[in-house]
Amino acid sequence: MDREMVVDNGDSVNNDDLINDINQVKSQLKQITNVKMGYEIQLLNVLMEDIDKRQRICVVVLLCHIVRALHLLEIILPRHARNPTIRDHYEKERRRVQLMTHLVQTERCRDIIRMSPAAFMKLCEKLRSTGIVKDSTKATIEEQVAKFLHIVGHNVKNRTVSFFFHRSGETVSRHFHNVLRAIISLVDEFIVQPTGAEVPPEILHNPRFFPFFKDCIGAIDGTHSRVKVRRADAPRFRGRKEYTTQNVFAACSFDMKFTYVLSGWEGTASDSRILKDALSREDSLLIPEGKYYLGDAGFPLKGGILTPYRGVRYHLKEYSARGPQNHKELFNLRHSSLRNVIERTFGVLKKRFPIIGGGNEPYYSFPVMTDIFIACCILHNYLMGVDVDNQIIDEVDQELQQRDIDRSSTNQRDEDYRQGANIRENVSTGMWNEYPL
């Protein structure tokens, strides 16, 4: 009876079987528990991985927001609030913009760059079309052209322009030469030789000149412009002036525009020698058949060059007190009146661009100065078409008038000298005739 137990219903159960059943149930419960724990662990791992992934995503999103915020701050905050070097650059850029704005929006534009704002902007567009001078991230074409015009219009050094525009000397020099090349490329557009197909209106509508000078197409002359050369070459370039110069030959029409320019001859070269070269070189001075230019007495008289009578009054002021007395003097008077246009044109050119008309030694080499002279002639023709400065023309006319007065006074002194010489000769001859030997 010890292996059996009696239950309430009267059935007997074996204790070993009951223990085994209980153990089996425990084993199954343990297995179920293990399986459940495994599932829970797996689920927990999945949840942890998901949380970790979400955390990484949140970190990335947060970093993106930070970067975006910094970018907005980069745009909103001024540069000078972050870095001293950048602050200085920002200040220079602000001053450049302010200078350019003030330049093109005020009447001082003509004083600074020798032309009106409208003519300046049109010139910039013309130079932009050449493709030689271009806008950059740091300098617009307008700034580069303004620096060039300020240099040729005031004959100042690069360091002066560098100070006002807050650029380095190397940058100013590079911009200057880029603009110079761009202007030179326009030579065929703005310096055009006449065909002689039409009579110039300045002659056609003036009875003093028409029909006598109906075949005249312009005037020629030479002018001296100071240059800097090597000491060994200096004697060849030191002619009438006490300093070294180049002798520039040019022709112009009666509307004061250059039609031909030949620069680069040394100052000692004569006008006739330069004319000979101009007529024989590849890019020669073209004189249509039956037409001619007016030249002064320094040029040879020939079919295409009409010069005044020698030994006869010529300059305008010489006729102020007494009019022409014969056909030669009448011819010289009207010849001088017409040919005076080349002197006026040179005068306006040099007054507008002192870099080629000043007495100071230039800051650029001789080859560069020859190009600068041609570039100034191109700019002169451009401005005579779109922005005529009557004030400069009036100033030049007054200076030429005063020069004629001075020349007339000199001629009067020469005449007085000749009269005195004749008196002296007569007195000395009479004394010699009566002197006992």
Side-chain angles (χ1 to χ4, degrees), residues 44-219:
L44 183 61
N45 290 336
V46 172
L47 291 175
M48 292 299 295
E49 291 177 358
D50 184 65
I51 292 173
D52 185 61
K53 185 183 296 183
R54 289 177 180 272
Q55 287 179 342
R56 288 197 297 268
I57 293 175
C58 290
V59 170
V60 172
V61 173
L62 180 60
L63 289 176
C64 291
H65 284 298
I66 294 175
V67 171
R68 175 62 178 171
L70 292 175
H71 179 68
L72 292 176
L73 290 175
E74 180 76 16
I75 296 176
I76 296 174
L77 290 180
R79 296 182 180 181
H80 62 272
R82 300 188 301 274
N83 187 294
T85 303
I86 297 178
R87 180 173 64 248
D88 183 62
H89 173 77
Y90 175 83
E91 182 64 19
K92 290 180 179 179
E93 187 65 28
R94 185 188 65 81
R95 291 182 181 179
R96 275 195 294 271
V97 173
Q98 183 180 13
L99 176 62
M100 290 302 302
T101 302
H102 182 71
L103 177 65
V104 300
Q105 293 182 355
T106 65
E107 289 301 322
R108 294 203 62 190
C109 183
R110 190 181 299 279
D111 297 331
I112 298 173
I113 58 176
R114 303 305 189 186
M115 62 184 67
S116 66
F120 171 71
M121 299 305 296
K122 187 175 181 181
L123 175 63
C124 292
E125 290 302 318
K126 179 71 68 175
L127 296 177
R128 179 179 280 109
S129 65
T130 65
I132 298 176
V133 57
K134 302 177 181 178
D135 291 300
S136 66
T137 56
K138 295 184 178 180
T140 63
I141 287 181
E142 287 76 12
E143 178 188 333
Q144 299 176 50
V145 176
K147 285 184 286 192
F148 176 89
L149 294 175
H150 185 68
I151 290 175
V152 299
H154 295 272
N155 193 23
V156 295
K157 294 182 177 181
N158 280 4
R159 68 184 66 174
T160 303
V161 178
S162 174
F163 173 79
F164 284 110
F165 284 88
H166 301 280
R167 298 289 192 188
S168 66
E170 187 275 333
T171 299
V172 172
S173 177
R174 175 161 41 84
H175 290 169
F176 178 89
H177 286 87
N178 287 342
V179 175
L180 177 61
R181 288 193 297 270
I183 295 176
I184 292 294
S185 69
L186 301 176
V187 62
D188 293 333
E189 179 179 352
F190 288 100
I191 299 183
V192 182
Q193 299 198 56
T195 62
E198 298 179 356
V199 178
E202 293 81 5
I203 294 177
L204 180 63
H205 302 302
N206 192 328
R208 297 176 61 239
F209 305 131
F210 186 83
F212 316 108
F213 293 98
K214 61 183 177 61
D215 294 324
C216 181
I217 57 176

Side-chain angles (χ1 to χ4, degrees), residues 313-322 400-416 418:
R313 288 185 298 165
Y314 179 71
H315 296 284
L316 298 179
K317 278 299 176 179
E318 297 180 39
Y319 293 94
S320 59
R322 182 170 62 96
L400 291 177
Q401 185 178 8
Q402 183 61 42
R403 190 189 67 178
D404 288 339
I405 294 176
D406 296 340
R407 182 186 288 120
S408 178
S409 300
T410 301
N411 292 336
Q412 183 63 40
R413 289 195 298 269
D414 293 342
E415 180 64 25
D416 291 341
R418 284 192 293 270

